[in-house]
Amino acid sequence: MDGRDERHKARMQRKKAVVDAKIAEAQDEYGLLLVHSGNGKGKSSSAFGMVARALGHGIKVGVVQFIKGAASTGEENFFRRFPEEVRYHVMGEGFTWETQDRQRDIAKAQEAWAVARELLANESIGLVVLDELNIALKYGYLELEPVLADIESRPMLQHVVVTGRGAPPGLIEAADTVTEMNLVKHAFKAGVKAQKGVEFWCRCSRGG
């Protein structure tokens, strides 16, 4: 073993000791509130990755989509294959610039929150995904305080993931883990259309 390999081994040993100590100290276990925000791609994708992970551990999941809904998605098509494990609710009617009806958007968001509240009260569900809830909060379709109250009163071991751009400060403060997705480069700006298997949505029929 040359000097470089020895230095690497010593550095990794020190790092392992630090990591092991932190793992030993982290003994608390309770349901987490995670927020995925920012202008970059991957907020919902990360949340649905957690859905797959939860299912792999035998955890039941509830999903409520607040904005998306005018077009089918690959995630919806896939997770609806597991009706006993995933309760999947598409409550939106599309992007806000397409609906162009604020009162209707408010009504749909309130309907969606009624469904979300039911999931948040269900002890058999271990993970709840509130997709694009941040958008509904940003535009004032829902009030933050009642939303936080319902989230905070959920079962002790239930995890909640909230996605969408522009997460309000109050939600960020209440969250246990917050991830900001930053946009560096996106194919759409170069004129490349959204494509199945890469982007979240596709312009196709609800059953397609």
Side-chain angles (χ1 to χ4, degrees):
M1 182 181 295
D2 61 22
R4 184 176 180 181
D5 290 340
E6 290 177 353
R7 289 193 299 273
H8 174 79
K9 182 177 181 180
R11 186 167 61 252
M12 292 301 104
Q13 288 176 336
R14 291 194 298 272
K15 184 173 183 179
K16 183 179 186 313
V18 171
V19 173
D20 287 348
K22 290 183 177 179
I23 292 174
E25 292 174 2
Q27 294 300 313
D28 291 346
E29 185 176 359
Y30 55 85
L32 301 177
L33 171 58
L34 301 94
V35 175
H36 299 168
S37 193
N39 293 328
K41 174 180 167 56
K43 299 177 286 295
S44 296
S45 299
S46 177
F48 282 106
M50 291 184 63
V51 172
R53 181 181 297 157
L55 293 179
H57 287 288
I59 297 172
K60 291 186 177 181
V61 180
V63 176
V64 180
Q65 294 188 289
F66 283 81
I67 303 298
K68 301 176 181 111
S72 67
T73 66
E75 286 86 347
E76 179 189 355
N77 293 339
F78 178 75
F79 287 115
R80 283 198 185 280
R81 300 176 187 176
F82 309 95
E84 299 299 319
E85 292 83 15
V86 182
R87 291 182 55 182
Y88 205 113
H89 301 273
V90 180
M91 305 296 294
E93 293 186 327
F95 297 108
T96 54
W97 62 84
E98 292 182 336
T99 59
Q100 301 178 13
D101 186 337
R102 185 172 185 274
Q103 291 305 315
R104 186 174 179 83
D105 289 340
I106 290 173
K108 294 298 293 184
Q110 292 176 345
E111 289 176 16
W113 190 251
V115 174
R117 188 183 297 117
E118 179 191 350
L119 297 175
L120 290 167
N122 190 330
E123 293 186 358
S124 71
I125 296 177
L127 173 66
V128 176
V129 174
L130 304 173
D131 189 41
E132 303 289 0
L133 172 60
N134 288 337
I135 302 297
L137 293 169
K138 177 181 178 180
Y139 284 106
Y141 300 163
L142 296 169
E143 294 183 8
L144 178 60
E145 292 307 317
V147 165
L148 285 179
D150 288 335
I151 291 175
E152 291 171 0
S153 64
R154 70 192 187 277
M156 187 179 70
L157 295 179
Q158 185 186 81
H159 304 297
V160 177
V161 185
V162 177
T163 76
R165 301 185 183 197
L171 179 62
I172 291 174
E173 183 178 354
D176 298 286
T177 300
V178 179
T179 301
E180 184 86 4
M181 306 291 187
N182 294 317
L183 177 62
V184 176
K185 190 175 183 180
H186 200 295
F188 180 72
K189 291 190 175 182
V192 181
K193 70 177 182 179
Q195 299 176 72
K196 295 180 183 179
V198 178
E199 300 299 334
F200 185 94
W201 56 277
C202 67
R203 291 187 178 277
C204 49
S205 65
R206 293 289 296 154

